[in-house]
Amino acid sequence: MLQPLLHDLVSTVMAPASALSGADGQIRQSGVQGLFRADRRVLSLARLLIDEHEPEAAGHAAAGAGRSRFVSLARRLGDRGTADPTVRVTRVRELTPYGMEESVEIVSTASVPVNATVTIELACDFAPIEAVKSGRATGVAVAADPSGEGRLSWRSERIRVTVTAPGAQVLTGKSPRLSWEIALPPRGRTTLTWALAVDDPAAVVVPATGPLEWSAPRVQADDRRITRLLDRSLADLRSLRLAEPGAPGDTFLGAGVPWFLTLFGRDSLWAARMLLPLGTRLAASTLRVLARHQGTRLDPETGEAPGKIMHELRREAFPLGEEDRRLPAAYYGTIDATPLWISLLHDAWRWGLPAAEVEPLLPHLEAALGWLADHADPDCDGFVEYIDAGGRGLANQGWKDSGDAVRFHDGRLAAPPIALAEVQGYACRAALDAAALLDAFDRPGADRWRAYAETMATRFRAAFWVDGPQGPFPALALDRDKRPVDSLTSNIGHLLGTGLLSAEESARIASLLAGPDLAEGFGLRTMSADADGFSPMSYHCGSIWPHDTAIVIAGLAREGFGAEAAVLADGLLAAAESFGYRLPELYAGDAQDEVIRPVAYPAACRPQAWSAAAAVTIAHAALGLYPDVPSGQATLRPLPGAPLGALGFGGLKVGESDVEVTVSGDGTATVTGLPGGLRLHR
């Protein structure tokens, strides 16, 4: 069966609820359309009719976090003999964490009275998200229970869905309907409302409580794309906030809508890391949530191991669309979440996370290091590697986790166990970060992990670097036989700043990242166009992922490769403009001289947490403020020459201080509001 497509749907989100509809606002019984909450479809049909006809769509737009507005026309009503429509229908959809509310405003500019019957057809199928994703969902409605005037409900297992509609008559039949009779005088208007509420005590995720975990930035930019992208992205991030039932105050970001609106180790960690310039609270709570799920035992079926950080959390097992391959509800099949957890703890500490919040996490840091030492390298060759030991989980366990993601230059698939290039970088960086934390908090083992990082860098240089048509570069991975998987990919950009590279090697990688075979699209391609395995519409072998590009932009900027960072940032901003400033999970890697705008990847999630967080990374790279609160220092290194134009950014958070950085059109930067005693280096 084929996975349903998403690219032409409108998503409205307030986690853990999300609604996907057509551009006209109608929710139809097809594909992935519906209202979902915590991995269940709780509404599979919501079709608005006026006198048994669908209004004709005129436009739609986001109306803030969790709100969408749809405008349509009822051209069969109102004045006759004029080309202008005289009856307009505005449907405002607002999601809450526990359901959805809609208002339908009907406005007449006609010179005659308008009388009509307005109905909304409804259905519920309680389809699990995994069945919808695989194309197996039938869309068969569960019987509705009329429960009084203007009320009806559905029940399945422990979930109850209730609809209320003031003033409406409930009509039963194949699909229940809400029905209103309206009578508008000339130039009259009326508003109809209905709401849906979900009671689901078995959900594994709940809405986050408490104030927003990050600051509201004050931004002025010559390039208006930056402000528009930030505004839309921060609204989306606000709508993706989640928590667990037992700890509603510890927020994390759900990975993406609709497939991944739950806890994802790698995604949630990266998104929190990208948002560090706006505060450390999200990072701290994400670290705590994942620490509570840290592995304690060896289990080949779930991938769990002592000290390992979880990959994803579900209500129940999640089929992969392949025979006998199902991810367990609590799944640990990720090779990179554990070192990324360590580095997020370190980076949050540098940005000012108080010692009182760091110290309770240090035992989890030491457990994560235990996994790195005892379980991450099963064949003891010195590299971190993975294999799906249970045979029913993910074949690939880095961020490029599709089954065909790890390919040689000639297109052949690599056989596991696989040691990914960027994962060695993450491990090296985690070792150095852990050493700094162990020293700072008077705990043993720092020298061991500095030596680990040094040895890893030497070993990586000998095993991973290969020669290609454009000269030397790090291979994508080592395969089962320790052969370098010789594709040129975006993975090498994740090595910047990890401690694996010399200055000369960093410069070499920067030049490759900015080359046409990787960077001629709207961002950074996941694989070079020169590779035989390249396809611009491949999930991981030629497409462009905004978060991947943003990670590389951050590494380039911090390492001093401003021109290369600016090229990639401009590509992302151009893509953002084409996608209405809501960057999707990924899009096609076509060259900019071949298409006037990026081509959508039809099954991409949107919004996606780390894609939205990329907006903050772009702005931060342009500003170049790098604080180190524990050492009492901060570095200011904006992109030279302000390639993205003048930028003023207030609301950066260094510790508890509100900091503002301004970069002028010539690249001169100023900073105000740094915490007292913090020395600034330019």
Side-chain angles (χ1 to χ4, degrees):
M1 294 186 180
L2 296 176
Q3 178 175 322
L5 304 183
L6 305 170
H7 65 289
D8 57 352
L9 300 183
V10 177
S11 59
T12 312
V13 188
M14 186 54 68
S18 62
L20 288 94
S21 73
D24 56 0
Q26 304 282 41
I27 295 175
R28 298 178 174 86
Q29 288 179 300
S30 64
V32 69
Q33 295 191 42
L35 173 65
F36 296 82
R37 188 182 184 280
D39 280 358
R40 280 290 186 275
R41 182 157 60 190
V42 294
L43 188 69
S44 55
L45 175 68
R47 192 166 72 111
L48 172 67
L49 301 170
I50 299 179
D51 285 348
E52 297 300 317
H53 296 284
E54 293 192 31
E56 297 173 76
H60 67 88
R67 283 171 57 92
S68 295
R69 179 179 284 106
F70 305 89
V71 177
S72 55
L73 307 173
R75 292 199 296 160
R76 290 178 172 83
L77 302 179
D79 291 339
R80 305 289 183 178
T82 174
D84 294 336
T86 55
V87 179
R88 172 173 164 147
V89 182
T90 300
R91 185 175 186 177
V92 177
R93 175 170 298 146
E94 182 167 3
L95 264 65
T96 73
Y98 297 97
M100 182 174 79
E101 299 172 359
E102 280 198 351
S103 66
V104 180
E105 183 185 44
I106 303 172
V107 178
S108 171
T109 59
S111 60
V112 297
V114 171
N115 299 287
T117 301
V118 179
T119 58
I120 298 179
E121 295 180 337
L122 300 172
C124 172
D125 65 357
F126 290 110
I129 189 71
E130 60 269 23
V132 178
K133 188 174 192 290
S134 68
R136 293 186 292 109
T138 63
V140 175
V142 178
D145 173 27
S147 49
E149 184 177 349
R151 291 176 62 88
L152 59 92
S153 63
W154 296 269
R155 182 184 291 276
S156 176
E157 301 169 352
R158 298 176 62 187
I159 307 173
R160 184 179 180 87
V161 176
T162 303
V163 168
T164 56
Q169 183 182 4
V170 176
L171 306 176
T172 58
K174 183 177 181 181
S175 293
R177 292 185 172 200
L178 306 174
S179 179
W180 297 264
E181 299 293 332
I182 63 168
L184 302 183
R187 306 193 68 82
R189 67 176 62 207
T190 190
T191 300
L192 313 173
T193 62
W194 67 281
L196 179 147
V198 183
D199 180 27
D200 181 11
V204 297
V205 291
V206 297
T209 60
L212 199 62
E213 291 75 19
W214 54 85
S215 65
R218 307 175 300 278
V219 183
Q220 291 184 320
D222 282 353
D223 191 335
R224 298 296 179 87
R225 297 176 302 175
I226 295 175
T227 55
R228 291 168 183 158
L229 178 58
L230 279 166
D231 287 346
R232 182 62 188 267
S233 297
L234 291 173
D236 280 338
L237 289 166
R238 182 172 185 169
S239 73
L240 292 171
R241 297 164 67 235
L242 284 170
E244 293 185 285
D250 272 348
T251 301
F252 59 89
L253 291 175
V257 175
W259 314 129
F260 310 122
L261 197 52
T262 187
L263 176 63
F264 262 71
R266 177 193 307 117
D267 298 50
S268 299
L269 287 164
W270 267 122
R273 196 172 179 183
M274 291 175 174
L275 288 179
L276 280 174
L278 303 183
T280 61
R281 290 179 56 207
L282 177 66
S285 59
T286 301
L287 288 163
R288 288 192 294 266
V289 170
L290 289 167
R292 286 196 289 270
H293 290 280
Q294 192 169 26
T296 58
R297 63 194 180 97
L298 285 171
D299 184 345
E301 291 299 314
T302 66
E304 183 178 355
K308 195 176 186 182
I309 297 299
M310 174 186 284
H311 176 57
E312 79 182 88
L313 181 66
R314 296 283 186 177
R315 184 193 298 258
E316 56 196 19
F318 194 95
L320 293 177
E322 304 169 40
E323 187 177 355
D324 293 330
R325 296 183 77 86
R326 296 173 65 88
L327 301 188
Y331 182 55
Y332 289 78
T334 168
I335 196 63
D336 50 11
T338 308
L340 290 172
W341 188 96
I342 294 171
S343 289
L344 177 60
L345 177 62
H346 169 271
D347 289 0
W349 173 61
R350 296 290 187 195
W351 274 93
L353 183 65
E357 293 190 59
V358 175
E359 287 194 272
L361 293 169
L362 293 178
H364 298 281
L365 166 70
E366 291 167 331
L369 291 172
W371 173 82
L372 197 58
D374 300 333
H375 302 287
D377 178 16
D379 64 2
C380 300
D381 70 340
F383 293 118
V384 178
E385 57 205 355
Y386 62 82
I387 186 171
D388 175 33
R392 300 174 70 180
L394 291 171
N396 285 314
Q397 298 183 2
W399 84 259
K400 295 180 179 177
D401 57 4
S402 54
D404 62 351
V406 185
R407 293 175 172 270
F408 288 86
H409 179 82
D410 62 10
R412 289 176 297 121
L413 295 181
I418 290 171
L420 291 168
E422 79 276 14
V423 172
Q424 315 316 310
Y426 298 161
C428 183
R429 170 76 192 270
L432 295 171
D433 291 344
L437 284 163
L438 294 172
D439 275 344
F441 288 88
D442 295 322
R443 299 175 89 99
D447 288 343
R448 173 192 180 184
W449 289 105
R450 277 189 286 268
Y452 173 97
E454 184 177 353
T455 302
M456 174 69 81
T458 301
R459 187 179 294 117
F460 182 90
R461 190 167 290 118
F464 273 80
W465 281 81
V466 296
D467 287 318
Q470 299 174 350
F473 65 94
L476 165 60
L478 302 182
D479 74 350
R480 174 182 57 199
D481 299 317
K482 308 306 176 186
R483 293 175 301 183
V485 181
D486 58 345
S487 292
L488 176 60
T489 63
S490 64
N491 301 56
I492 64 173
H494 293 230
L495 300 174
L496 294 165
T498 62
L500 276 190
L501 305 174
S502 67
E504 182 182 52
E505 290 166 341
S506 294
R508 173 68 187 145
I509 285 176
S511 68
L512 290 169
L513 293 168
D517 50 334
L518 283 175
E520 67 181 350
F522 293 86
L524 183 67
R525 287 172 172 149
T526 45
M527 178 177 282
S528 165
D530 290 340
D532 289 348
F534 170 81
S535 167
M537 290 292 283
S538 166
Y539 198 56
H540 286 129
C541 298
S543 59
I544 293 170
W545 288 62
H547 91 280
D548 180 37
T549 303
I551 290 168
V552 174
I553 289 169
L556 289 167
R558 187 150 194 166
E559 294 292 295
F561 302 104
E564 293 84 351
V567 168
L568 296 179
D570 185 69
L572 277 191
L573 291 171
E577 190 173 28
S578 295
F579 288 110
Y581 296 100
R582 175 182 266 181
L583 283 167
E585 177 187 14
L586 72 156
Y587 45 88
D590 300 290
Q592 291 194 40
D593 61 2
E594 295 176 358
V595 293
I596 58 173
R597 55 183 294 168
V599 175
Y601 184 87
C605 289
R606 190 165 170 248
Q608 185 91 348
W610 57 10
S611 293
V616 177
T617 297
I618 292 170
H620 178 242
L623 299 169
L625 179 67
Y626 304 103
D628 185 351
V629 173
S631 71
Q633 301 181 75
T635 301
L636 187 62
R637 188 189 301 121
L639 294 181
L644 302 181
L647 178 62
F649 199 115
L652 294 169
K653 299 293 286 187
V654 179
E656 293 301 314
S657 297
D658 188 311
V659 177
E660 182 169 359
V661 177
T662 301
V663 179
S664 67
D666 64 1
T668 303
T670 59
V671 58
T672 58
L674 285 174
L678 214 64
R679 299 185 304 278
L680 184 66
H681 301 278
R682 296 182 181 273

